[in-house]
Amino acid sequence: MADERLIVALDFHEMDKVQALVENLGESVSYYKVGMELFYSVGAEVVTYLKQQNKEVFLDLKLHDIPNTAAQGLCSLARLGVSILNVHASGSYTMMKTAIDQLRQETARTGIPCPKLIAVTVLTSIDQADWTAIGQKTNIQEQVVRLAKLTKQAGLDGVVASPQEAQSIRQACGEEFMIVTPGIRPSGVATNDQSRIAVPMQALKNGASHLVIGRPITAAKDPHAAALAIIKEMEMVR
């Protein structure tokens, strides 16, 4: 059976690859992430397809703009019926507060279920060298926790952060706060372009509420077996 804490990332360009994977994984996976690569290629078609398959969707477009523009973009995307949307926390408290307020008002007005809104803290591909190169003086973990607190203050449902910061975020923001963690790599799997990573069990022990996993499943010789192995490991942490 599916574990709703597992979100499989559909990092493809084509619908036929999406359909083949979803059919292969079957009932073992109930939650999928649709990011820029796929959405910019096929648009809302992929969300419609996943909803028809009774799957939940995290639409990972990372909006980052002036407050009203970001808010209105989210209101448009909410009409697709996705379960999670996101923005960049670095867009500011004002942007996040405007976004969540307008999103809740619009979905209440239209009768659309309001998706969870979470904020990206610091991308998991960024290491300390990259961080220093863009002029940041604090360390990454301190900044991630600062942004998580700001996100909660603005009224959002949670954050996207690496599993290495999950424990500090959980301590700072409480048990109900969503912590969605990319950068999950089972033992023996290539890290690819991720820098701040952890194995599934450790990420959950650290406080993650959801694990976003792409290539360890989608690029596996047997994606279904790879997903089941990860779910088995996840079931050891509740």
Side-chain angles (χ1 to χ4, degrees):
M1 295 296 293
D3 188 322
E4 289 193 353
R5 297 175 297 173
L6 172 62
I7 304 176
V8 173
L10 296 171
D11 295 328
F12 303 120
H13 291 288
E14 304 91 358
M15 276 299 303
D16 59 347
K17 291 185 178 179
V18 171
Q19 292 166 341
L21 181 72
V22 172
E23 289 173 10
N24 180 289
L25 295 178
E27 296 300 316
S28 66
V29 174
S30 62
Y31 223 131
Y32 288 92
K33 180 179 82 72
V34 174
M36 296 178 190
E37 176 182 354
L38 181 56
F39 194 78
Y40 293 164
S41 178
V42 304
E45 177 186 357
V46 65
V47 177
T48 300
Y49 166 74
L50 291 169
K51 296 291 290 181
Q52 290 172 344
Q53 305 305 309
N54 297 315
K55 307 300 184 183
E56 292 194 69
V57 180
F58 167 22
L59 187 54
D60 178 28
L61 299 183
K62 302 181 179 71
L63 276 66
H64 188 167
D65 213 311
I66 63 173
N68 189 63
T69 299
Q72 290 305 307
L74 291 167
C75 290
S76 296
L77 294 171
R79 298 188 183 102
L80 298 176
V82 299
S83 299
I84 305 176
L85 291 168
N86 63 353
V87 297
H88 268 287
S90 56
S92 79
Y93 169 85
T94 301
M95 186 197 78
M96 291 191 287
K97 185 71 167 64
T98 302
I100 191 62
D101 288 349
Q102 291 192 24
L103 180 63
R104 287 173 177 162
Q105 290 168 12
E106 180 64 11
T107 53
R109 184 186 71 80
T110 59
I112 299 168
C114 187
K116 300 290 187 183
L117 182 60
I118 62 179
V120 178
T121 53
V122 176
L123 297 172
T124 52
S125 60
I126 294 177
D127 60 18
Q128 193 61 47
D130 288 330
W131 190 240
T132 302
I134 60 174
Q136 297 293 336
K137 303 301 182 184
T138 58
N139 66 47
I140 293 175
Q141 179 153 328
E142 288 175 358
Q143 181 67 3
V144 167
V145 174
R146 178 183 291 112
L147 289 172
K149 289 179 178 178
L150 193 67
T151 299
K152 183 176 182 182
Q153 183 183 349
L156 276 64
D157 299 288
V159 291
V160 181
S162 98
Q164 294 183 10
E165 292 97 40
Q167 186 172 23
S168 297
I169 295 170
R170 181 63 67 211
Q171 291 171 349
C173 297
E175 291 301 316
E176 300 304 314
F177 199 65
M178 291 177 66
I179 304 174
V180 179
T181 56
I184 305 300
R185 290 292 185 270
S187 299
V189 173
T191 60
N192 302 111
D193 55 358
Q194 300 285 10
S195 294
R196 301 183 341 271
I197 63 174
V199 298
M201 186 187 301
Q202 190 59 52
L204 292 172
K205 286 181 177 179
N206 285 356
S209 58
H210 297 79
L211 310 183
V212 176
I213 303 180
R215 284 164 288 194
I217 292 173
T218 61
K221 290 183 179 179
D222 185 342
H224 187 254
L228 291 179
I230 289 170
I231 291 167
K232 183 177 180 181
E233 180 178 343
M234 292 173 64
E235 289 299 318
M236 299 174 69
V237 184
R238 278 292 180 185

